[in-house]
Amino acid sequence: MTPPVAVVGAGHAGRALAGHLALLGAEVVLWNRTPANIAEIVERGGIEMEGEAVGFGKLALVTSDIKEALAEAQLVMVCVPAFGHRDVARLCAPYLRDDHVVVLNPGRTFGALEFIHELRAQQCIARPVVAEAATFIFASRSTGPAQSRVMRIKHAVPVAAIPVDRTPEMMEQLNAWYHQFTPAESTLDTSFGNVGAVVHPVITLLNAARIESTHGRFDFYLDGVSPSVAHVLEAVDRERLAVAQLLGVQVRSLQDWLLSAYRAEGGDLYEAILANEGYRGIQAPPTTHNRYMLEDVPMSMVPMASAGRSFGLTPRAIEAVIDLAGLMHTTNYWSRGRTLATLGLEGLSPAEIEQVAMYGYDVV
Amino acid sequence: MTPPVAVVGAGHAGRALAGHLALLGAEVVLWNRTPANIAEIVERGGIEMEGEAVGFGKLALVTSDIKEALAEAQLVMVCVPAFGHRDVARLCAPYLRDDHVVVLNPGRTFGALEFIHELRAQQCIARPVVAEAATFIFASRSTGPAQSRVMRIKHAVPVAAIPVDRTPEMMEQLNAWYHQFTPAESTLDTSFGNVGAVVHPVITLLNAARIESTHGRFDFYLDGVSPSVAHVLEAVDRERLAVAQLLGVQVRSLQDWLLSAYRAEGGDLYEAILANEGYRGIQAPPTTHNRYMLEDVPMSMVPMASAGRSFGLTPRAIEAVIDLAGLMHTTNYWSRGRTLATLGLEGLSPAEIEQVAMYGYDVV
């Protein structure tokens, strides 16, 4: 019998994944820090699923005790926003074992490194696999306190393990449930293949007043991207590619990604976005205080800018977006975000960072 | 008999001013570089006025010959966008006399300094008064090829002369036609009292997609400013005040200005903007390639940022707006804009700049 899967976090993503896994026959333990948010799931004993998989996903255990959640599990699917990764690592640290496979769904930029860095700060002696997925496997939404709808299961989700030589072990755990996960070479690939980092904050920023005055009642991509906005997206995307290149990583441009992921063609980025049927009907968030900003700015843009700056690049477009997002929200995203310093990578060469991203901090 | 008034530039502003002055009884010479744009005015011999002043404003001369425009005139009202000030200075240089009073309507930031700097570059030996108004005296629009509507005549328009000791001479020329002009102490007051520099680019930037997808069919201030946008406006405004302070100038904050100019009260800037009846009904521009960006970014924000940087300030909000505006328009507003270097002020102390702003370059 396969060991239970722990799903950490019961937001939109965690609920969908827990319920879906249960329908697939997994024994699922769902953890959430705040008991109130899972009270209804505890009471019902599971999650009612609709959309791509219909039925009642009965859960083996629903708990706010992380020790209990990790005890029997081997695969640990972390489904919290990236700004929660460090906290989750701290909570998990005492209970992790060498045979755990922790997957961040998704990691945003340097998520797995941050997780491991925190385990070390907590003097965790276990050496679990810590991996990051480039994106979340579903498009899904909670439709009630114990309900979830999976609108779409994505075709391919690259995932990279630290240490990379335990990739086969990780793939075995993941492929027991989903064939969509594909192994990436390094967490630098998943960290920089993060196109959400480009699109979410730029579109939100350049539609800020519209989001706040309409409460998000417009089409986020198809109305929210105009030729000028596309020019800024192009600039931010060029900087993402340039920083990735500094670290020795080749990633697809946003325009190439739209072509390969959605077959969305266009003479330029603006045309490609308009041509993407997958974007049709996606409404803007109802407020600018949204994960598109709260998560992507500090956990994707700040680390990209930090790495770029450290190696002589001046990523002005990314920095301008970070600055203005912070002013909008009267916060300093720089100090809340992941940087080479907070990740313990300052002073390392690009080649050394590449090694850490593949094998963990023990190599340096 | 009063000498003729030369109105330089026949756009929205120049047409309104020329027609209005003619109705007031002035002998008006209207100049425009491109003959095609004044062909209809030449044919009709004047401008049909509506709004605050109704009637046919008969012009003494309509010409594309700057020599002819300046020959008899004493007061020269320059009504071109600020990015045209340098060109106008170059064209005027050979024909200016010591008794000319040139007024930039408005100067934006450092307009009078740029004008004088260019006269010197052209080896102009005359020493006319060169002055800048803080804003244009009307809210007005061209309503046809030889038609103009003055919606509103503003109550008070500060104007500063270089050299400042010729202020009485300048006021006499202006007050012959308008009592609304009031003398400012120095062109630093008019340059930094420029609230358009704050509001226009920020609101345009943070509504870019909406402007382009609706062609400006929304209320620029009342829909275009949301709480997040107001936070960015506050940050940009704080930097404007801080740079002004570095140069020894005290200017009103945007919120104080709204209170004094419009009696618009509010607990914060957002509330004050919403409370401003004067903003009601002002539509957004139909495109982001508009004077709100093309003029205010290089001619107001760049000089403010440049002065701030030179004296140890890091005006990150203003710089982020300049950077993103440039990326949107795939241009470099930094290199198109006024800086201490292009104004010949680099290396001067704040006190020396203050002297130049009052007395011209001869003092250093």
Side-chain angles (χ1 to χ4, degrees):
Chain A
M1 161 102 204
T2 359
V5 179
V7 174
V8 170
H12 288 296
R15 287 181 198 199
L17 190 65
H20 195 268
L21 278 165
L23 287 183
L24 293 177
E27 193 180 327
V28 178
V29 181
L30 178 62
W31 175 90
N32 196 70
R33 182 194 296 222
T34 309
N37 295 350
I38 43 172
E40 186 93 6
I41 303 173
V42 170
E43 196 181 304
R44 311 256 329 245
I47 295 170
E48 206 154 317
M49 301 296 296
E50 42 184 14
E52 285 284 304
V54 179
F56 185 73
K58 191 175 179 305
L59 304 179
L61 181 68
V62 185
T63 179
S64 288
D65 178 344
I66 195 75
K67 179 182 181 183
E68 200 175 26
L70 297 180
E72 305 289 322
Q74 192 166 1
L75 179 60
V76 181
M77 297 293 264
V78 175
C79 298
V80 302
F83 50 71
H85 286 161
R86 190 178 284 276
D87 281 353
V88 167
R90 193 175 60 249
L91 291 171
C92 290
Y95 313 112
L96 284 172
R97 305 180 308 267
D98 291 355
D99 68 315
H100 272 129
V101 172
V102 178
V103 181
L104 307 181
N105 292 280
R108 302 298 170 196
T109 299
F110 297 145
L113 286 177
E114 185 182 65
F115 199 97
I116 296 172
H117 191 250
E118 182 63 24
L119 294 185
R120 290 166 62 94
Q122 299 299 321
Q123 268 98 44
C124 174
I125 54 166
R127 288 291 179 266
V129 175
V130 179
E132 63 184 35
T135 183
F136 186 56
I137 187 169
F138 305 148
S140 56
R141 281 288 175 276
S142 291
T143 46
Q147 282 79 28
S148 178
R149 175 193 294 272
V150 174
M151 277 90 79
R152 200 163 62 90
I153 305 180
K154 294 179 186 167
H155 294 301
V157 178
V159 54
I162 301 176
V164 73
D165 50 17
R166 289 177 69 187
T167 297
E169 183 183 339
M170 172 191 75
M171 290 309 300
E172 192 186 341
Q173 293 287 327
L174 287 170
N175 289 344
W177 308 109
Y178 297 104
H179 61 86
Q180 286 87 349
F181 289 103
T182 57
E185 271 182 47
S186 139
T187 57
L188 292 182
D189 294 281
T190 47
S191 285
F192 284 94
N194 177 7
V195 293
V198 175
V199 292
H200 296 155
V202 169
I203 302 177
T204 302
L205 184 79
L206 300 179
N207 285 277
R210 191 189 216 173
I211 287 172
E212 293 184 345
S213 69
T214 69
H215 306 289
R217 280 191 292 276
F218 65 93
D219 213 296
F220 186 67
Y221 293 96
L222 303 189
D223 293 331
V225 178
S226 65
S228 284
V229 174
H231 288 315
V232 178
L233 288 170
E234 281 166 344
V236 167
D237 199 47
R238 276 195 303 272
E239 292 179 358
R240 175 178 65 97
L241 301 188
V243 178
Q245 181 117 37
L246 282 177
L247 293 173
V249 189
Q250 280 284 350
V251 285
R252 273 203 184 91
S253 73
L254 177 53
Q255 198 181 334
D256 284 353
W257 178 83
L258 285 167
L259 187 64
S260 75
Y262 291 103
R263 302 191 197 289
E265 292 183 50
D268 59 19
L269 181 59
Y270 176 63
E271 289 180 9
I273 288 172
L274 284 201
N276 182 6
E277 284 299 321
Y279 282 157
R280 194 165 302 282
I282 300 183
Q283 289 277 292
T287 145
T288 66
H289 284 82
N290 182 281
R291 278 173 57 175
Y292 284 180
M293 298 289 258
L294 302 176
E295 182 177 11
D296 283 303
V297 174
M299 299 299 155
S300 302
M301 288 197 133
V302 168
M304 287 182 188
S306 163
R309 276 272 172 186
S310 297
F311 300 114
L313 210 76
T314 305
R316 294 295 287 130
I318 293 178
E319 293 180 348
V321 172
I322 297 168
D323 286 337
L324 288 182
L327 292 172
M328 274 193 168
H329 291 164
T330 56
T331 190
N332 185 341
Y333 281 119
W334 290 102
S335 63
R336 289 172 57 177
R338 293 176 181 152
T339 63
L340 294 194
T342 68
L343 295 165
L345 298 171
E346 212 165 43
L348 300 190
S349 70
E352 287 170 323
I353 290 175
E354 200 182 351
Q355 289 295 300
V356 176
M358 293 179 85
Y359 297 103
Y361 291 86
D362 298 336
V363 298
V364 288
Chain B
M1 162 103 205
T2 358
V5 178
V7 174
V8 170
H12 287 297
R15 286 180 198 199
L17 190 64
H20 194 268
L21 278 165
L23 288 183
L24 293 178
E27 193 180 327
V28 178
V29 181
L30 177 63
W31 174 90
N32 196 70
R33 183 193 297 221
T34 310
N37 296 349
I38 42 171
E40 185 93 7
I41 302 173
V42 170
E43 196 181 304
R44 312 253 330 244
I47 296 170
E48 206 155 317
M49 301 298 295
E50 43 183 13
E52 285 284 302
V54 179
F56 185 72
K58 191 173 180 306
L59 304 179
L61 180 68
V62 184
T63 178
S64 288
D65 178 345
I66 195 75
K67 179 180 179 184
E68 200 175 28
L70 298 181
E72 306 289 322
Q74 192 167 0
L75 178 60
V76 181
M77 297 293 264
V78 175
C79 298
V80 301
F83 49 71
H85 286 161
R86 191 178 284 277
D87 280 353
V88 167
R90 194 174 59 251
L91 291 171
C92 290
Y95 312 112
L96 284 171
R97 304 180 308 267
D98 291 354
D99 68 316
H100 271 128
V101 173
V102 178
V103 181
L104 307 180
N105 292 281
R108 303 298 172 197
T109 301
F110 297 145
L113 286 177
E114 185 181 67
F115 199 97
I116 296 173
H117 192 251
E118 182 63 23
L119 294 186
R120 288 165 63 93
Q122 299 299 321
Q123 269 98 44
C124 174
I125 52 165
R127 288 290 179 266
V129 175
V130 179
E132 64 185 34
T135 182
F136 186 56
I137 187 169
F138 305 147
S140 57
R141 282 287 176 279
S142 290
T143 46
Q147 282 81 27
S148 176
R149 174 193 293 271
V150 174
M151 277 90 79
R152 201 162 62 87
I153 305 180
K154 295 179 187 167
H155 293 303
V157 179
V159 54
I162 303 178
V164 73
D165 49 18
R166 290 177 69 187
T167 297
E169 182 183 340
M170 171 192 74
M171 289 311 298
E172 191 186 342
Q173 293 287 326
L174 287 170
N175 289 343
W177 309 109
Y178 296 104
H179 61 86
Q180 287 88 349
F181 289 103
T182 57
E185 271 183 47
S186 138
T187 57
L188 293 181
D189 294 280
T190 46
S191 285
F192 284 95
N194 176 5
V195 293
V198 175
V199 293
H200 295 155
V202 169
I203 302 177
T204 302
L205 184 78
L206 300 179
N207 285 277
R210 192 188 215 174
I211 288 171
E212 292 184 346
S213 71
T214 69
H215 306 289
R217 279 191 292 274
F218 65 93
D219 212 296
F220 186 67
Y221 293 96
L222 302 188
D223 294 331
V225 178
S226 65
S228 285
V229 174
H231 288 316
V232 178
L233 288 171
E234 281 165 345
V236 168
D237 200 46
R238 275 195 303 274
E239 293 179 357
R240 174 178 66 97
L241 301 189
V243 178
Q245 181 117 39
L246 283 177
L247 292 174
V249 189
Q250 281 285 350
V251 285
R252 275 203 183 91
S253 74
L254 178 52
Q255 198 181 333
D256 285 352
W257 178 84
L258 285 167
L259 186 63
S260 75
Y262 292 103
R263 303 191 195 290
E265 292 182 50
D268 59 20
L269 181 59
Y270 176 63
E271 289 179 9
I273 287 171
L274 284 201
N276 182 6
E277 284 299 321
Y279 282 158
R280 193 164 304 281
I282 300 182
Q283 289 277 292
T287 145
T288 67
H289 283 82
N290 182 281
R291 277 172 57 174
Y292 285 181
M293 298 289 259
L294 302 178
E295 181 178 11
D296 284 303
V297 174
M299 300 300 155
S300 302
M301 289 198 132
V302 168
M304 288 183 186
S306 164
R309 276 272 171 186
S310 297
F311 300 114
L313 210 79
T314 306
R316 295 294 288 130
I318 293 179
E319 292 181 349
V321 173
I322 296 168
D323 285 339
L324 289 182
L327 291 171
M328 275 193 169
H329 290 164
T330 56
T331 188
N332 185 341
Y333 281 119
W334 289 102
S335 62
R336 289 172 56 176
R338 291 176 183 154
T339 64
L340 294 195
T342 67
L343 295 165
L345 299 170
E346 213 165 43
L348 300 191
S349 70
E352 286 171 322
I353 291 175
E354 201 182 350
Q355 288 297 300
V356 175
M358 293 177 87
Y359 298 101
Y361 292 86
D362 297 336
V363 299
V364 289

